[in-house]
Amino acid sequence: QLLRTLFGLLVILTSLTEETLAHEGSCNELNLDDTGTCDITSPQQRDETALGLNALPVRIAVVTGQIQIPPTCGIWCDTTSDPSSPCRMDEDVVPCKTDFYCTTTCALWSLFTGMERPNISCAMFARFDGYPTDYHGAEPCDEMCLLPEIRKERYPAPTGIGLLCQTGTCYAAISSMAHLAEVAAVLECPCNWFGADCPDDWAPVQAINHTAIYGDIVATTLTVDVEDWKRIIENH
């Protein structure tokens, strides 16, 4: 029931924040890189990309043909010194579907197939970069655990076969409750992201305004006070 509630909020509230997030990432004179190109990624995202903890760049490179059939993760990763090296998941270890979701990095593969329970940053959580395995006590959620809007047909992340639950339950596999042994991967707080269970990290919304209509799409702006806005920007 908890998972149904959390992911239900994710689906509803993500649509409400799209306009706000678009403004956060707008190009301006403060975020041009050395070549004059707009860079809308946060410092944490750039750091995680260099560390191999952000799979999105290599996934895009594979599906757009910039990278041709990366090697299978596992022994091959032991031969490279670059943690961001792309590789394809060994489906005997981590079942996956489609080139996009089956592509990962050596750093992520080592983290989520290792012996220790993995820790996941908020940025990784927001990108669905976490895929704890059955060894850690995770499995694809039973359909009865999820609202129809977030079942695998519409939310195939993180590996193409749907959201992950703690084995035999409807509880999210990734949780901030590190004191519970059954939690498969530990979410680092603060994490003010929909679906996260970090405590006391919600910013009170002062107003909700429908600011524009584009056909069937309504752009919505959420208003928070200045200090909460600064905290949101700092953490994202």
Side-chain angles (χ1 to χ4, degrees):
Q1 185 64 37
L2 174 63
L3 188 67
R4 290 169 66 93
T5 301
L6 291 175
F7 284 127
L9 287 171
L10 182 150
V11 172
I12 296 168
L13 296 178
T14 297
S15 63
L16 294 177
T17 56
E18 286 177 352
E19 180 72 7
T20 302
L21 293 176
H23 287 303
E24 289 179 24
S26 299
C27 291
N28 57 45
E29 67 275 12
L30 298 179
N31 60 9
L32 295 177
D33 63 18
D34 293 338
T35 66
T37 302
C38 177
D39 182 3
I40 63 172
T41 57
S42 69
Q44 183 182 25
Q45 287 177 313
R46 292 193 292 272
D47 291 344
E48 288 186 340
T49 298
L51 293 171
L53 299 177
N54 180 354
L56 186 58
V58 296
R59 285 176 164 177
I60 292 174
V62 167
V63 298
T64 57
Q66 299 174 52
I67 296 176
Q68 300 293 327
I69 311 178
T72 301
C73 303
I75 295 176
W76 179 83
C77 286
D78 296 334
T79 68
T80 177
S81 59
D82 183 359
S84 65
S85 295
C87 61
R88 186 178 178 87
M89 296 178 183
D90 181 342
E91 295 183 48
D92 290 334
V93 180
V94 179
C96 63
K97 289 185 178 180
T98 78
D99 288 341
F100 182 85
Y101 288 111
C102 288
T103 299
T104 187
T105 67
C106 284
L108 288 170
W109 180 260
S110 297
L111 178 64
F112 291 110
T113 61
M115 300 295 289
E116 297 183 2
R117 182 168 66 168
N119 291 329
I120 297 176
S121 72
C122 184
M124 293 167 65
F125 181 82
R127 292 190 302 266
F128 290 98
D129 267 336
Y131 50 93
T133 64
D134 57 357
Y135 174 80
H136 300 110
E139 64 182 7
C141 298
D142 187 281
E143 279 197 353
M144 297 304 295
C145 296
L146 305 172
L147 296 172
E149 294 84 356
I150 56 171
R151 290 176 182 166
K152 61 183 178 182
E153 292 76 16
R154 296 190 63 182
Y155 270 78
T159 61
I161 57 177
L163 300 171
L164 300 176
C165 286
Q166 296 170 25
T167 302
T169 77
C170 289
Y171 292 105
I174 300 171
S175 169
S176 65
M177 293 185 281
H179 61 286
L180 298 178
E182 57 268 31
V183 168
V186 177
L187 173 63
E188 297 176 353
C189 296
C191 188
N192 191 356
W193 193 262
F194 306 112
D197 62 358
C198 290
D200 302 324
D201 62 351
W202 293 98
V205 175
Q206 298 177 339
I208 300 176
N209 297 305
H210 300 303
T211 53
I213 298 177
Y214 307 96
D216 294 331
I217 299 175
V218 177
T220 302
T221 298
L222 306 184
T223 302
V224 298
D225 69 28
V226 172
E227 292 306 314
D228 282 332
W229 174 253
K230 290 178 180 178
R231 185 165 56 87
I232 292 169
I233 294 301
E234 179 183 0
N235 292 329
H236 292 85

